[in-house]
Amino acid sequence: MARREDDSYTNGSVFEVSVEDGRKDKSDAHAYADAVQQPADEADGDIDAVCGMPASVSFIQQLIAEFLATFFLIFAGCGVITVNDKNGMATFPGVAVVWGMTVMAMIYAVGHVSGAHINPAVTVGFAVPAYMVVQLVAATIASLILRLMFDRQHEVAAVTVPVGSNIQSLVLEFIITFYLMFVIMAVATDDRAVGQMAGLAVGGTIMLNALFAGPVSGASMNPVRSIGPAMVGSKYTALWVYIFGPFAGAAAGAWAYNLIRHTDKTLAEITKSTSRTN
């Protein structure tokens, strides 16, 4: 966790949003924001572009952290599914525990470096497109290694496909990603939340979602978790469900949390401010 001067804590998210004064505070763990705001003439050529965005050495480190965290998530999560498919020893609850515990571990490992998004549906809310690129690359490489390890003829068991109808899985993916993002917004952007518990809160949410949604939709909640295995296994059945559902759910979850975020403004002030922006 990154400690601030006022002795409060953040969990390393890209930005902390203050509704009271409408300004964005930079997290100590994110030199990316400094790179964006620093004028080009002050950078003395030290900042290059990554995916069209200014990048300092710190931002490169953040991309590496996102790659490593996403790789381990997909390797461990999809790996336990593949192993369980072969011998059944992991069991379904064990699979859910692995996904949740892996996310929790990565949040504590690299949360103070990159924010530990590990998910494009989360990243899109923080406007860091370069993260999305490395997340997809990491997921694809992890899926490819698993396929090579467990025989090329073995179907990639970790490909997410609806058990029921596509609409049923779409709605379920929307809802579970909604609540995942709702929890992330609470522990990542609200100073009133206990930032040190971010790993447990987010990991626990993923575990719970996987336990009840896994048998129906596969409980993806993460576009690259579905895209990576699908690309390696050449199995694109209903892939759109696992792209649209999580992105829409994450956007709605972030919006919903902002509705209940603490503010000292009156309803009239908020309404007037909204009308001016429109």
Side-chain angles (χ1 to χ4, degrees):
M1 305 299 168
R3 187 165 186 169
R4 307 195 316 176
E5 292 180 358
D6 60 359
D7 288 333
S8 63
Y9 288 81
T10 73
N11 74 330
S13 297
V14 176
F15 292 116
E16 292 179 307
V17 182
S18 174
V19 174
E20 288 82 354
D21 57 10
R23 59 187 172 81
K24 290 181 178 179
D25 296 327
K26 299 188 292 292
S27 168
D28 294 338
H30 287 268
Y32 162 72
D34 294 330
V36 171
Q37 295 176 4
Q38 184 180 22
D41 58 346
E42 294 180 9
D44 295 327
D46 291 336
I47 297 179
D48 299 317
V50 175
C51 294
M53 305 185 70
S56 64
V57 171
S58 294
F59 186 56
I60 298 299
Q61 292 173 332
Q62 291 161 26
L63 294 181
I64 294 173
E66 279 298 304
F67 176 90
L68 294 174
T70 306
F71 178 91
F72 187 57
L73 172 66
I74 302 303
F75 187 80
C78 293
V80 71
I81 292 175
T82 304
V83 170
N84 188 62
D85 186 60
K86 279 182 169 291
N87 55 36
M89 294 183 65
T91 72
F92 172 66
V95 171
V97 169
V98 168
W99 282 102
M101 293 292 287
T102 304
V103 170
M104 182 183 70
M106 290 301 96
I107 288 175
Y108 287 126
V110 302
H112 56 288
V113 179
S114 68
H117 293 189
I118 329 175
N119 187 337
V122 173
T123 295
V124 72
F126 293 104
V128 192
Y131 274 22
M132 301 171 72
V133 175
V134 298
Q135 289 161 358
L136 179 57
V137 172
T140 304
I141 293 176
S143 301
L144 179 59
I145 291 176
L146 286 171
R147 182 167 183 133
L148 294 174
M149 286 176 59
F150 294 99
D151 186 4
R152 298 181 67 89
Q153 301 302 317
H154 178 69
E155 181 182 357
V156 181
V159 172
T160 46
V161 292
V163 174
S165 68
N166 288 351
I167 297 301
Q168 183 184 51
S169 290
L170 177 65
V171 172
L172 195 54
E173 286 295 319
F174 176 91
I175 292 174
I176 62 179
T177 311
F178 174 98
Y179 280 104
L180 173 61
M181 190 64 181
F182 188 84
V183 171
I184 291 173
M185 289 294 291
V187 298
T189 69
D190 198 328
D191 284 339
R192 296 174 298 165
V194 182
Q196 298 96 320
M197 302 300 291
L200 287 173
V202 177
T205 301
I206 290 175
M207 193 183 306
L208 289 172
N209 285 345
L211 283 171
F212 77 83
V216 180
S217 70
S220 175
M221 297 173 276
N222 185 338
V224 299
R225 178 262 179 274
S226 295
I227 296 173
M231 291 176 63
V232 172
S234 298
K235 190 170 183 179
Y236 302 99
T237 304
L239 184 59
W240 66 273
V241 168
Y242 301 100
I243 297 175
F244 180 75
F247 273 120
W255 175 81
Y257 189 80
N258 280 330
L259 285 180
I260 65 170
R261 189 187 300 276
H262 174 72
T263 177
D264 293 327
K265 291 183 178 180
T266 65
L267 182 60
E269 289 174 327
I270 295 175
T271 304
K272 184 178 180 181
S273 175
T274 304
S275 64
R276 273 202 300 260
T277 58
N278 294 334

